[in-house]
Every structure is written in C-alpha cells, then in structure tokens.
Amino acid sequence: MKRNLFIEMAFLATAGFAAAQGPGYQPNTDVLGAHLNYGRGCTACHAPHSGAYGNGNAKTADPTSGNVALWGEDVASLYGKTITTGGGGYVETLPTSMAATTPDVSGLLTCLSCHDGNYAQGAMMKNRVYETLPATYGTQNFIPTLLGNDGTSQGNYLNDHPVGLNAVMGCGGQYNWDCTISATGTVQMTGAASSKFVTNYGFFVSPGTYNNTPVVLCTTCHNQHLMNVVNVTAAKSGLTPGTYATMFFIRAPYNPASGTAGSNQTAQFCRQCHGGESNEMNNGIAVTTF
C-alpha cells in the first residue's frame, strides 16, 4: 500500500461513512465494492473456464494462469520482473510462473495484473476512487491505485510500501513489537505490550510465509473480497465481536472519516506491524477510539 495513500484516504472518505461507529455496522452497498468492476463481479479476476484465455487474452496470456485460483487476468508480462519498493530497500523479483510455490504468487503477482500499470497495462485500474463522493468534495477523485504508474515517473515503485519476499516482518528491537516468530513463520503477539495491543485493537494482518519468515504482501493489509466491512472475532481482537466499517479493502476496522474527536483507529491499523510507534510500547494507556 502506498505511503501517500493514507493521506488520500482521509480526503476521499464519504460523508455517510462517518456515521458508522463500533460493531454492528451494516453496509448498504455490495461488500465486493470496487472489485465488482462495474458489474462483472467475480469474473473480472476469476475465469471459471480457461483462465486468462477465458477472459479474452488468448493472444498474449499464459495459458496456465487459470491453474491458480482460476485466475483470469494476464500476468505473463510481469514474470521475472524486478520492482524495488520502500525507498529502495526492498527488491522483489516477481515469480516466473503462476506455478511457483512462493507466497508472492497469490499475494502480489495476481494483484499487480490489475494494479501495476507499468509492466501490466491490459487490465489496469484507472486511478479513480470507487465510492461516491459528497458534493462538498468537488470533482477530485484521483487515488494512487497503480504501483508502477501513479503519477510520478512510470516504473517508479520507490514510493510504495515495502512488499515482497524481502519485506520481512520482525519482532524485537526499537521499531517492532515484543512479539515472537514461531518456527513456521507465524507472528505471535504474546509479549506484554503486543498482547495488550491485541486486546485494545487486534491483529488482523495476514503476512505471507517464506523460508519460515513472515513477509509483507498486498494481501497482508488488504482483503480483496471485502471493501467496506470487516468481521471482528474474539480470536483476532479484544474488541466487541461483530461487523465493523472499513475502507479500501483494509482487513481491520478503519474509518478515517470517523466523526469522533480523537479517533485513532486508522493509526491503530498501521501499528499492527509498526509496534515501535504504538501506545503500548511507549507506556501509553490509550485504547482504540472509534
């Protein structure tokens, strides 16, 4: 996710969304949201027959794309390409096949087939916000949905949040939680501060696992199937279980348009990985305010 996307989110939130606070939220638009793709629905990404060939890409697509999640978009132009994110510190060489067994196939490569805009342009998004904006926001609806073509120079990924097999999520030290990583690469929020944070907000992110190490992918922060709602369970959070409002396919309660003074839920989302900036790791007693 883009660093400057958080600024855009705060600006582009709808007025009606601001009223949604706490559990029991009932979305009044389809939960697939922007990924309905103007009515195409699930078949915009998944082709029930023949993969990318079945979605009209027979001239250029890898005919084996549909072997993975019935993927219907052309990813062949991305195979083996190198992108560098996070200001230059995270180099990711994309898989050379949809048959690769690394987590960046389903967690990054498939996403870039629509959200790259540089190597892959056939199904690229239009960098426009999906939600209807209130009249007071004017006509501005640009939002940086393309990693490799976001309004700066084409092919620039440096201003994107680190992603890929080298974007390792850590525990301990100045910037991380007092968590631990299991032998299989699972993040365990069991430290004094991290466990308290789970009670105060939760741990909703879904890191990939590579060489028994947790890594950050697009799907770590985003659930591509639910744009405007998240189901909070006791297994993930100390919040009251129920459905909470979210935006932009974020996996956790996330409402930058909250009408509550001092609401900190959007900051809490980032602190799931960035523990060094949390209240709990700095002896603060603030909890999540919606």
Side-chain angles (χ1 to χ4, degrees), residues 217-230:
L217 306 168
C218 302
T219 51
T220 297
C221 294
H222 299 280
N223 179 349
Q224 66 273 23
H225 298 121
L226 295 173
M227 186 183 79
N228 52 14
V229 66
V230 60

Side-chain angles (χ1 to χ4, degrees), residues 168-185:
V168 174
M169 184 175 175
C171 291
Q174 179 181 358
Y175 301 107
N176 301 319
W177 281 111
D178 56 348
C179 53
T180 57
I181 298 172
S182 73
T184 58

Side-chain angles (χ1 to χ4, degrees), residues 45-265:
C45 292
H46 305 280
H49 302 286
S50 304
Y53 271 36
N55 260 357
N57 296 307
K59 291 184 178 180
T60 59
D62 179 351
T64 68
S65 66
N67 297 350
V68 178
L70 302 180
W71 197 249
E73 292 298 345
D74 184 6
V75 294
S77 61
L78 291 161
Y79 287 159
K81 296 298 192 297
T82 296
I83 63 175
T84 304
T85 57
Y90 303 88
V91 179
E92 159 73 5
T93 300
L94 294 168
T96 57
S97 167
M98 286 285 280
T101 58
T102 51
D104 51 353
V105 173
S106 59
L108 177 56
L109 181 67
T110 53
C111 304
L112 289 179
S113 60
C114 292
H115 288 278
D116 174 59
N118 178 33
Y119 297 119
Q121 297 188 13
M124 62 190 288
M125 300 292 99
K126 295 183 178 180
N127 272 17
R128 296 293 183 271
V129 68
Y130 177 82
E131 292 87 351
T132 301
L133 300 176
T136 53
Y137 282 35
T139 59
Q140 170 72 358
N141 68 350
F142 176 83
I143 189 168
T145 56
L146 301 175
L147 271 72
N149 191 359
D150 61 359
T152 61
S153 59
Q154 185 169 330
N156 173 34
Y157 300 87
L158 296 177
N159 59 356
D160 295 294
H161 191 285
V163 288
L165 302 184
N166 290 312
V168 174
M169 184 175 175
C171 291
Q174 179 181 358
Y175 301 107
N176 301 319
W177 281 111
D178 56 348
C179 53
T180 57
I181 298 172
S182 73
T184 58
T186 301
V187 178
Q188 299 175 326
M189 300 282 280
T190 54
S194 56
S195 59
K196 187 176 181 181
F197 177 79
V198 173
T199 298
N200 291 338
Y201 181 70
F203 193 70
F204 301 92
V205 290
S206 181
T209 304
Y210 179 64
N211 287 340
N212 297 323
T213 302
V215 295
V216 179
L217 306 168
C218 302
T219 51
T220 297
C221 294
H222 299 280
N223 179 349
Q224 66 273 23
H225 298 121
L226 295 173
M227 186 183 79
N228 52 14
V229 66
V230 60
N231 187 26
V232 173
T233 65
K236 291 185 176 181
S237 171
L239 299 175
T240 302
T243 51
Y244 286 70
T246 188
M247 293 186 77
F248 303 97
F249 299 94
I250 295 295
R251 285 186 175 273
Y254 187 94
N255 182 2
S258 171
T260 302
S263 172
N264 67 342
Q265 59 180 294

Side-chain angles (χ1 to χ4, degrees), residues 272-285:
Q272 291 175 98
C273 297
H274 298 276
E277 289 79 27
S278 67
N279 294 304
E280 293 78 6
M281 289 290 286
N282 289 283
N283 204 33
I285 61 173

